[in-house]
Amino acid sequence: MDPTTQHALVVGIEHYREYTPLKSPRRDAARFCRWLEDVAQVPPENIHLVAGEGDGTPTNDDILQAVDSLGPRQGARKGSRLYVYYAGHGLGPNCLEVALLPANAGINRIEYQCFGVGKWLDYFTRTRLFDEVILFLDCCREEQSVETIGLPYKPVQLFQNAIDEQINYFALMGSGHGGKSFEETDRDNERGLMTDALLEGLNGAPGAVDPATGNCITTESLQRYVMARVAENTQFNQKVEPWVMTGTPMTLRTLPAIPELTLTIVVGPQTAGKTLQLLNPKTRNLRVLGPAVANAALPPIVIAANTRHQLMTDDLGWQSILDPSQMSEPYELHLP
């Protein structure tokens, strides 16, 4: 996908007028903007950052003004994909009812000031401004149902026949039904737990790569990585939840092809009769190479040249770590 046709709305809110202040949203929003510009290659003019300065902003009007910049211009389609990133306070039991709180949200007048995610999706579906909408919402989902604000939908002739068309959208929420989205504040490095895992995955962490392709990060593979990564942090009881409406996973990033190494294993008498196994510790991909025959070579196998592998027998009577960086292409390994 041509990155110049992609756009982003990035919102980070820390200081609320009537709610507890947060520590990481502004920094997390800036980090996501850097990923958009440096890695995804989205043009800076297509990235709309909305973050306050500690003065009770951005308000709902500030956010609406940023959204309006994504609206129809002379009846023309805006782009291929829209990223929406939000870090701040949130409410609501399910994705369509999640309420995103601007800085001026009031405890006693919340119904008139919070943005409904479902209403945003309805707006982009009706206007057909983008073919794909991807939302990353690092916010709580405490179980409180509220009436929410929609987006100003002004029908344009070009889009009237597109209202019933299905666009692809994907949402990854930092917390499950009724849950919280936590911040980590160790070493004066405040950051959202979900956003940290999200950026790891988007930056190409091995576990976030789609195993079917070997070098693509998709919405599905990213979802699995972020959910597992956040769950690893047992200090917080946080559950990341996806919400998908798309026929096939969307490709978020294609990594450079990983160099490969051809490995031939020659079996010695001590290993003969045992079944050999090859494990990639990063992806937990285990391959059974079959039974070993003395003084014979197994069929050549191909491994990624940037990842160490563990070669072992089924009874673990022998095992060794293979470091491709120390091997030439092709490489012949002789077992005892």
Side-chain angles (χ1 to χ4, degrees), residues 169-236:
Y169 51 88
F170 170 83
L172 195 59
M173 296 170 283
S175 57
H177 180 187
K180 293 183 178 292
S181 192
F182 292 95
E183 299 174 299
E184 289 191 307
T185 58
D186 59 304
R187 302 183 301 277
D188 297 322
N189 183 22
E190 292 89 358
R191 60 199 189 278
L193 189 62
M194 179 263 197
T195 298
D196 222 31
L198 172 68
L199 290 173
E200 285 178 5
L202 290 173
N203 282 318
V209 177
D210 179 14
T213 63
N215 68 331
C216 288
I217 299 172
T218 67
T219 50
E220 186 176 49
S221 63
L222 179 69
Q223 165 191 321
R224 288 196 302 265
Y225 178 83
V226 176
M227 293 176 68
R229 192 76 174 91
V230 170
E232 287 177 5
N233 195 328
T234 55
Q235 178 183 355
F236 306 101

Side-chain angles (χ1 to χ4, degrees), residues 32-255:
F32 189 73
C33 284
R34 285 196 297 271
W35 178 83
L36 288 167
E37 188 172 347
D38 297 343
V39 180
Q41 299 294 299
V42 178
E45 61 271 21
N46 290 2
I47 301 173
H48 306 272
L49 173 63
V50 186
E53 297 292 339
D55 55 354
T57 59
T59 66
N60 48 1
D61 287 339
D62 296 326
I63 298 173
L64 281 172
Q65 184 176 358
V67 174
D68 186 58
S69 67
L70 300 170
R73 289 295 178 265
Q74 298 178 353
R77 174 176 169 274
K78 190 70 175 182
S80 59
R81 173 183 291 171
L82 172 67
Y83 288 99
V84 177
Y85 173 88
Y86 172 84
H89 280 307
L91 300 169
N94 62 55
C95 181
L96 294 180
E97 295 179 12
V98 168
L100 309 178
L101 277 62
N104 65 323
I107 295 175
N108 295 322
R109 55 189 184 280
I110 192 170
E111 292 84 356
Y112 308 104
Q113 295 172 312
C114 298
F115 294 99
V117 172
K119 293 178 180 178
W120 282 35
L121 290 174
D122 178 68
Y123 169 80
F124 289 116
T125 299
R126 287 178 174 273
T127 57
R128 189 71 180 185
L129 295 176
F130 301 92
D131 298 320
E132 300 176 348
V133 178
I134 297 175
L135 301 96
F136 299 124
L137 308 177
D138 195 349
C139 62
C140 299
R141 288 174 55 201
E142 294 175 279
E143 193 167 354
Q144 178 179 340
S145 296
V146 296
E147 291 295 325
T148 55
I149 299 174
L151 299 179
Y153 169 51
K154 301 174 183 178
V156 179
Q157 182 67 35
L158 177 67
F159 301 124
Q160 285 186 354
N161 295 329
I163 291 177
D164 294 328
E165 293 182 24
Q166 178 63 61
I167 66 170
N168 291 331
Y169 51 88
F170 170 83
L172 195 59
M173 296 170 283
S175 57
H177 180 187
K180 293 183 178 292
S181 192
F182 292 95
E183 299 174 299
E184 289 191 307
T185 58
D186 59 304
R187 302 183 301 277
D188 297 322
N189 183 22
E190 292 89 358
R191 60 199 189 278
L193 189 62
M194 179 263 197
T195 298
D196 222 31
L198 172 68
L199 290 173
E200 285 178 5
L202 290 173
N203 282 318
V209 177
D210 179 14
T213 63
N215 68 331
C216 288
I217 299 172
T218 67
T219 50
E220 186 176 49
S221 63
L222 179 69
Q223 165 191 321
R224 288 196 302 265
Y225 178 83
V226 176
M227 293 176 68
R229 192 76 174 91
V230 170
E232 287 177 5
N233 195 328
T234 55
Q235 178 183 355
F236 306 101
N237 183 21
Q238 181 172 339
K239 178 184 177 183
V240 174
E241 185 171 299
W243 196 70
V244 184
M245 181 63 76
T246 178
T248 58
M250 291 175 269
T251 298
L252 300 173
R253 185 183 174 196
T254 301
L255 303 172

Side-chain angles (χ1 to χ4, degrees), residues 250-318:
M250 291 175 269
T251 298
L252 300 173
R253 185 183 174 196
T254 301
L255 303 172
I258 299 172
E260 296 179 332
L261 175 72
T262 302
L263 174 66
T264 299
I265 301 173
V266 180
V267 178
Q270 296 181 31
T271 314
K274 298 179 180 178
T275 298
L276 292 174
Q277 300 176 347
L278 187 67
L279 174 68
N280 182 334
K282 286 189 176 181
T283 63
R284 310 307 300 174
N285 180 32
L286 178 66
R287 283 190 279 178
V288 178
L289 305 182
V293 179
N295 301 318
L298 273 68
I301 58 174
V302 176
I303 61 176
N306 67 337
T307 306
R308 292 187 177 191
H309 289 69
Q310 182 177 0
L311 181 65
M312 55 196 171
T313 55
D314 52 350
D315 61 359
L316 298 182
W318 183 91

